[in-house]
């Protein structure tokens, strides 16, 4: 009886299928999640590129930037590190800029939300078909789920512009992301990948007119 039971293979296929299917489902779901992670990485890259472009043609978030450069020698170059850097972030419902930059929420919103109506929140408004010809999108439109506290905007002096320039100094502007984790639908629960932090995406451009009416 015992010998016959030991040689029996009834149900072996079911057990093997249960083992193989677990590995197969994990592999398939892993492909789905990592594909979505790649999408998030690409969306974050596009968002910071757009944010840097908008920051370069918009009123600065750090309002002190307009008068930050030295004025003792009109026409002389503004040397590197002559002012700032002004690093602006949004934390706990309010924004701050380093070095006394004075955070302007409306100007920050224009970079984050584009030309849509200003509100001091993380909601990204939908741009309708009728609005698209005249409404520029913001960072949140390129990276769904992006929050204000993920965005860092820095203005620094790198030897551009000249003293008493009518439009103010010409900063180098860097837009980057912080404290952003990849979102995994399946592997987060199975393998704990929900704590995988996204690398700091950044884009650096040269400031232009720095006013809202620039194109």
């Amino acid at each position: 009886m015992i010998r016959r039971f030991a040689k029996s293979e009834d149900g072996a296929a079911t057990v093997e299928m249960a083992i193989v299917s677990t590995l197969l489902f994990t592999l398939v779901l892993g492909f789905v999640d990592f594909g979505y992670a790649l999408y998030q990485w690409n969306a974050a890259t596009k968002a910071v590129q757009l944010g840097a472009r908008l920051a370069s043609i918009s009123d600065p978030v750090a309002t002190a930037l307009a008068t930050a450069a030295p004025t003792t020698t009109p026409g002389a170059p503004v040397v590197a590190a002559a002012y700032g850097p002004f690093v602006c972030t949004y934390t706990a419902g309010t924004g701050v800029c380093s070095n006394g930059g004075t955070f302007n929420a409306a100007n920050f919103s224009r970079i984050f939300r584009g030309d849509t109506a200003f509100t001091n929140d993380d909601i990204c408004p939908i741009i309708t078909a009728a609005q698209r010809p005249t409404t520029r999108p913001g960072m949140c439109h390129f990276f769904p789920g992006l929050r204000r506290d993920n965005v860092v905007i820095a203005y620094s002096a790198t030897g551009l512009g000249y003293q008493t320039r009518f439009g103010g100094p010409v900063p180098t502007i860097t837009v980057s992301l912080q404290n952003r984790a990849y979102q995994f639908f399946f592997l987060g629960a199975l393998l704990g990948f929900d704590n995988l932090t996204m690398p700091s995406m950044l884009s650096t451009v040269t400031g232009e007119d720095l006013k809202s009416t620039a194109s």
Side-chain angles (χ1 to χ4, degrees):
M1 177 72 71
I2 296 177
R3 186 176 302 170
R4 191 189 319 162
F5 178 76
K7 292 182 178 180
S8 176
E9 296 183 359
D10 293 343
T14 302
V15 175
E16 292 171 358
M17 183 59 187
I19 296 173
V20 172
S21 62
T22 300
L23 297 176
L24 179 62
F25 284 139
T26 301
L27 184 62
V28 171
L29 296 178
F31 280 135
V32 173
D33 263 355
F34 277 105
Y36 184 54
L38 182 61
Y39 160 77
Q40 294 175 72
W41 180 85
N42 184 65
T45 301
K46 296 300 182 183
V48 294
Q49 290 173 351
L50 175 75
R53 173 60 183 163
L54 286 175
S56 70
I57 59 173
S58 302
D59 295 323
V61 178
T63 56
L65 176 65
T67 57
T71 59
T72 54
T73 310
V78 177
V79 299
Y83 57 84
F86 301 116
V87 181
C88 302
T89 56
Y90 196 90
T91 307
T94 186
V96 294
C97 295
S98 62
N99 293 312
T102 310
F103 185 95
N104 186 295
N107 295 346
F108 183 90
S109 179
R110 187 168 186 273
I111 297 170
F112 182 79
R113 294 165 52 95
D115 291 336
T116 58
F118 164 66
T119 58
N120 214 18
D121 57 41
D122 292 325
I123 298 175
C124 193
I126 296 175
I127 299 177
T128 65
Q131 293 174 319
R132 285 172 190 164
T134 58
T135 303
R136 283 182 285 197
M139 295 180 66
C140 67
H141 294 101
F142 280 74
F143 189 7
L146 186 68
R147 302 190 313 271
R148 290 172 180 269
D149 59 6
N150 296 139
V151 180
V152 180
I153 303 173
Y155 303 87
S156 57
T158 55
L160 301 174
Y162 55 89
Q163 296 186 32
T164 67
R165 178 177 176 270
F166 178 74
V170 181
T172 294
I173 305 170
T174 299
V175 175
S176 59
L177 300 183
Q178 65 175 0
N179 303 326
R180 183 72 188 185
Y182 286 107
Q183 295 179 348
F184 292 102
F185 292 110
F186 309 108
L187 297 185
L190 294 175
L191 302 177
F193 282 4
D194 51 337
N195 294 322
L196 190 60
T197 303
M198 183 178 292
S200 178
M201 309 294 179
L202 62 85
S203 181
T204 301
V205 298
T206 300
E208 298 180 14
D209 286 338
L210 292 175
K211 57 185 178 181
S212 298
T213 55
S215 58

